[in-house]
Amino acid sequence: MTLTALIAEDEPLLAASLQAELARAWPELHIAASVPDGLSAVTQALALQPTVCFLDIRMPGQTGLDAAQALAEDWPEGAPFPLLVFVTAYDQYAVQAFEAQAVDYLIKPVDPKRLAACVDRLRKRLADRPGASPVPVASTAPALSDESLAQLRALLAGPAAAPQPRLEVIQAAVGNTVHMVPVDSVLYFEAADKYLRVVTAEREHLIRLSLRELLPQLDAKVFWQVHRGLVVRATAIQTAVRDESGKVLLTLRGCADRLTASRLYAHLFKGM
Amino acid sequence: MANLVHDNLRMTVSLPAAAPEAPALPWWRDLARRGLRNQMLCLVIAVLLTLMGPKHWHFFVNWVYSTCIGTSCWLFIDGGRMTLSRLLIHQQPENPELRARWPGLSWMLLCILVGSVAGYMLGSQLGDLITGRTTPSLIENPQALAISLIAAIGATSFFYTSERLHAEKAAAEAARRLAAESQLKLIESQLEPHMLFNTLANLRVLIGLDADRAQQMLDHLIAFLRATLSASRAAQHPLSAEFDRVADYLALLAIRMGPRLQVKLVLPDDLRQLPVPPLLLQPLVENCIHHGLEPKVAGGRIELQARVDGAQLVLSVRDTGVGLRDNPATQGTGFGTTQVRERLRALFGERASLTLAAATDAEGGTLATILLPLTPTAA
């Protein structure tokens, strides 16, 4: 089994340096790809399925944490989930979260001794894996353990965004007309490229806002995030059915749309 | 002795808490504390009366009377003060003195006058009941009224002034702390740890790869740090210096971001010496990088331009980044733009402005424009 790694780091000098240091500390590790942004980190990781991903936190496109979330949600069944190492220059919260969550992390500038310790830890983790022997991983083994999911969830919960005033009305512009959409009438929000779909029972609107910017302005008890790109009004959900892959299919009241909640948020849908 | 008198007075009239400050304790704990002090004072007065009054005045009798009269006076004055300020606050809800339960001087004088008379009358009746004696009424004994009135007024004014001084000192202290905090926040925002440590990480790599470039990078970093740390000391510097500092910052970022960052600085020669407040442009440039170019995968260009339009100096900072979003919560209300606006208002009043808008050409991004008066200011 070849050991492969993906490096996601937007600053060229730092990416080159991490690659060089890794070559010294872990000669068997082959760098499959080095990408400069969070979006290509996800596409490359899904395509190459590396053993380890080194993810910078602050990157263009999306952050390393968001990339990790996207990987967890889109990772193919049966393939072993990569070990994640987060790299950050200074992010007090993130560092605390990593320590608490026992996911490994590196702080820039990367100290060779610290990198060696990280490599030891990664090697140990790999040896502990059920399919660590040269025999390929049994396809029945969960690709992403509940433990890793919980760790990732805790990391993503992140520092609570500064409380913002509740949004009451969404102003969706179409040409010269602005539609005033009361938040109370919204069934769900879905991220679509640079836009956000705002879906009500009657129709849908597009606004130029990210889910990340919107979330702190919504009541988290009323609107549940069920996927990195999907926030649903809890009372609008009629049924939730879990499939074999751990995803949850949602049907809505008063709307024919079918939505999918990711494994990361499947824990929200449990019988009382 | 003087101290003793002051202490006594404080307890007799049991003065309101700090006038301009809101009471920190719940009202009943405040009341209980003042009641206790009042009781202690009554005891002290009883002792003094026994020592200094006529020989046949018995300590126990003195104590009963001083307790009865002192307590009634205190209850009347203190109760009057709180009732009055509570009534008055309905008319002036924002009055800080009323909020601190201080109804104002004239009302307070009335309180003291009525409270002392009523307190003496009620207290002496109570004392008579307990001891079985008879005390002369106020009309027969005007000295008693005079003494309690003088004591009450003296103590009220003494404690009002001292509490007020204390509150003013606290307010000045708070203002100083606020100024220091905002200064610190300014420096902190410019010496953002993420920027600093990423720069150092790059420098560390460069030292091994390309010592000459590492040295250049270090020079830019030194100039940037020096400018940031001394910006608060100088009121103004030439526009050319302002551009140089921004250039230092952008040079650091150019090394970090590589080809993702292009820089264009336009400063006509005849504008080089114009005085501007130091590091005025810095927060805007940081915003371009942080909100415009860093999130954009392809990166982009940042343009700084100075020109004259009529009697105004126009400084524009433009990026070709991701642009402003629909979120009203993040449009020009961040720390950087707020801070620039506040500085402009403090230095030029209505004669300067900052506007933040979407760039109108095909390249997109954000355009921040500062308008400054060309005529030199008093500042």
Side-chain angles (χ1 to χ4, degrees), chain B residues 196-256:
Chain B
L196 204 56
F197 285 110
N198 256 319
T199 304
L200 290 173
N202 273 278
L203 197 52
R204 183 178 174 280
V205 179
L206 262 189
I207 289 170
L209 286 180
D210 185 342
D212 285 346
R213 262 181 86 204
Q215 208 161 32
Q216 282 170 26
M217 189 176 188
L218 194 55
D219 289 341
H220 288 303
L221 180 62
I222 290 167
F224 171 75
L225 290 179
R226 200 185 297 286
T228 301
L229 292 173
S230 63
S232 51
R233 289 200 282 274
Q236 292 190 321
H237 68 177
L239 190 53
S240 57
E242 180 74 5
F243 268 61
D244 286 346
R245 295 295 77 78
V246 171
D248 281 323
Y249 175 74
L250 289 173
L252 290 175
L253 279 160
I255 292 174
R256 285 178 44 199

Side-chain angles (χ1 to χ4, degrees), chain B residues 285-336:
Chain B
V285 173
E286 272 168 35
N287 275 349
C288 286
I289 296 289
H290 195 78
H291 302 296
L293 298 176
E294 263 186 0
K296 192 170 175 178
V297 174
R301 191 173 72 249
I302 181 164
E303 271 179 36
L304 242 77
Q305 201 177 37
R307 62 191 166 85
V308 168
D309 182 11
Q312 282 181 316
L313 173 63
V314 183
L315 301 172
S316 59
V317 183
R318 184 257 163 96
D319 67 68
T320 60
V322 293
L324 297 168
R325 300 191 66 105
D326 283 345
N327 194 355
T330 56
Q331 275 178 21
T333 50
F335 178 73

